[in-house]
Amino acid sequence: MQDYFCSSCGKAATDEKVSSEAAASVEYMAPVESEDSLEAQLEESFVRKNYDFYINKWNKLENKDSKISWNWATFFLGPFWFGYRKMYIPVLLIGVIYFLVDLFFFLIHYQFSEDNYFVDPIQNLVLFPLFIILGLFGNYIYLKHANRYINQVNLKPFDNEQKKTWLKSKGGTSWLGVLFTILFVLFYGIVSAFLIPTNVDQIHTVKDGSFYNYPTTTIGKGFDNFFNDTHWEYVSSGSPYDVVRFSGIVMSDGEEVKVIIDFVITDNSFEIHSSTVNGNKLANEEIETMIDTIFNSNENVIHN
């Protein structure tokens, strides 16, 4: 049975009591949507995908009056999760933290290994607390992000359906956000290589370059083909210049000979500064002869 109310006096009337003459004077009163129900609908409109997961996390945060709630996605994916959820300010802040960490390693002249440059254990140890913090506070950050937009839409002269539509456009997920984050990471990597180059960047400046007389073979490839136990390092102490040092072993008359060559980097070019063989310093003419021997032997290997 539906409830009806008199439009004149406001008293309730049942179907049986409503006569055909009085039917025109009564109105049907639709149930009023509660504020809590509307708030939940606005949150669902904003979150959309995996709403049940996040509303469960948010309810636990509010019940405990806490900011801590674990999220594996933020722990493993970090800035890419924030981009996926259209939270671009955290992405930029994470970039700032990475810059400060890179600047720290640059100032202490930390020597990265070429073999594990992108998974350097010391660098990962420094950054690990950041990902712990993201895992602990990711849900809370998302809650504040959602509330900010919900508060904004409540100030707009929209009806409830317009509010939901507006929130759907601002929230949800976005693969374009992930693409933005990837491009941002690539852009940061390029810029940081120029502003705060690591020892590996300096090493590759030499290894990936070539001598004027042998332009078709990189120095790194030529040395690797000629020497055994090759090692490259960036030497920062004791010199006002950027110095990259190469060392390697070559067999001569059945004996191992250790060769060390120091390159000086100036702007975008480099040159050999000095070289020693078993600790004995070579003259410039001897260095030129050694380079010819190295790269002529490489040409013979290639042709054969």
Side-chain angles (χ1 to χ4, degrees):
M1 181 185 299
Q2 291 183 326
D3 291 335
Y4 293 86
F5 299 86
C6 177
S7 60
S8 300
C9 65
K11 292 183 178 180
T14 63
D15 288 340
E16 292 81 358
K17 294 181 180 180
V18 179
S19 64
S20 59
E21 293 81 2
S25 66
V26 298
E27 297 174 350
Y28 172 70
M29 303 296 290
V32 178
E33 197 170 40
S34 68
E35 290 186 5
D36 290 343
S37 174
L38 176 60
E39 188 75 10
Q41 291 179 39
L42 295 181
E43 288 177 340
E44 184 174 5
S45 297
F46 184 81
V47 176
R48 299 171 67 182
K49 188 175 183 180
N50 292 333
Y51 167 73
D52 291 338
F53 170 83
Y54 288 106
I55 195 61
N56 179 55
K57 292 289 185 179
W58 293 349
N59 287 336
K60 288 181 179 179
L61 289 176
E62 292 178 353
N63 293 336
K64 297 179 181 178
D65 191 22
S66 174
K67 300 178 181 179
I68 296 175
S69 173
W70 187 255
N71 188 318
W72 285 108
T74 55
F75 174 73
F76 282 112
L77 301 177
F80 301 101
W81 178 82
F82 285 102
Y84 182 63
R85 284 289 170 179
K86 300 183 181 180
M87 291 184 279
Y88 303 117
I89 292 179
V91 173
L92 298 177
L93 291 176
I94 292 172
V96 171
I97 294 173
Y98 265 81
F99 174 80
L100 294 175
V101 171
D102 287 342
L103 182 62
F104 167 75
F105 282 111
F106 174 76
L107 293 176
I108 67 172
H109 305 297
Y110 180 74
Q111 296 288 320
F112 289 93
S113 170
E114 283 190 275
D115 298 330
N116 57 357
Y117 176 51
F118 293 103
V119 289
D120 185 82
I122 302 300
Q123 185 183 48
N124 288 341
L125 182 64
V126 173
L127 289 171
F128 186 71
L130 169 63
F131 287 91
I132 291 292
I133 292 173
L134 294 179
L136 290 173
F137 292 94
N139 293 321
Y140 176 75
I141 295 172
Y142 193 26
L143 171 61
K144 300 297 288 185
H145 176 71
N147 285 341
R148 181 165 64 88
Y149 278 98
I150 292 173
N151 291 336
Q152 285 183 22
V153 79
N154 282 330
L155 297 176
K156 296 181 181 292
F158 294 163
D159 60 34
N160 292 344
E161 290 304 317
Q162 289 175 323
K163 289 179 179 180
K164 295 174 186 177
T165 300
W166 187 84
L167 287 173
K168 286 179 180 179
S169 68
K170 299 297 181 181
T173 59
S174 172
W175 288 107
L176 285 177
V178 177
L179 178 61
F180 163 80
T181 306
I182 293 173
L183 293 176
F184 174 74
V185 170
L186 293 175
F187 173 77
Y188 170 78
I190 295 172
V191 172
S192 64
F194 285 100
L195 296 180
I196 43 177
T198 66
N199 62 299
V200 175
D201 296 323
Q202 303 286 18
I203 289 172
H204 278 281
T205 297
V206 177
K207 287 186 68 175
D208 297 340
S210 59
F211 292 111
Y212 291 114
N213 293 337
Y214 305 97
T216 59
T217 305
T218 63
I219 293 174
K221 182 178 180 181
F223 282 14
D224 286 340
N225 289 337
F226 187 81
F227 293 97
N228 298 318
D229 298 328
T230 58
H231 177 71
W232 295 83
E233 64 176 322
Y234 172 66
V235 182
S236 57
S237 61
S239 173
Y241 307 104
D242 291 320
V243 178
V244 172
R245 176 167 295 166
F246 166 82
S247 62
I249 303 295
V250 64
M251 299 300 297
S252 178
D253 297 329
E255 296 182 357
E256 290 186 349
V257 176
K258 184 174 183 179
V259 176
I260 297 177
I261 303 175
D262 284 349
F263 295 85
V264 173
I265 301 175
T266 56
D267 296 328
N268 294 324
S269 62
F270 57 87
E271 61 182 10
I272 294 178
H273 178 262
S274 62
S275 179
T276 62
V277 175
N278 284 343
N280 299 314
K281 188 173 182 179
L282 300 182
N284 290 337
E285 295 79 7
E286 293 174 312
I287 294 175
E288 292 177 1
T289 301
M290 179 178 64
I291 296 300
D292 290 336
T293 301
I294 294 171
F295 284 88
N296 286 330
S297 67
N298 272 276
E299 289 182 359
N300 290 333
V301 169
I302 294 173
H303 290 313
N304 291 334

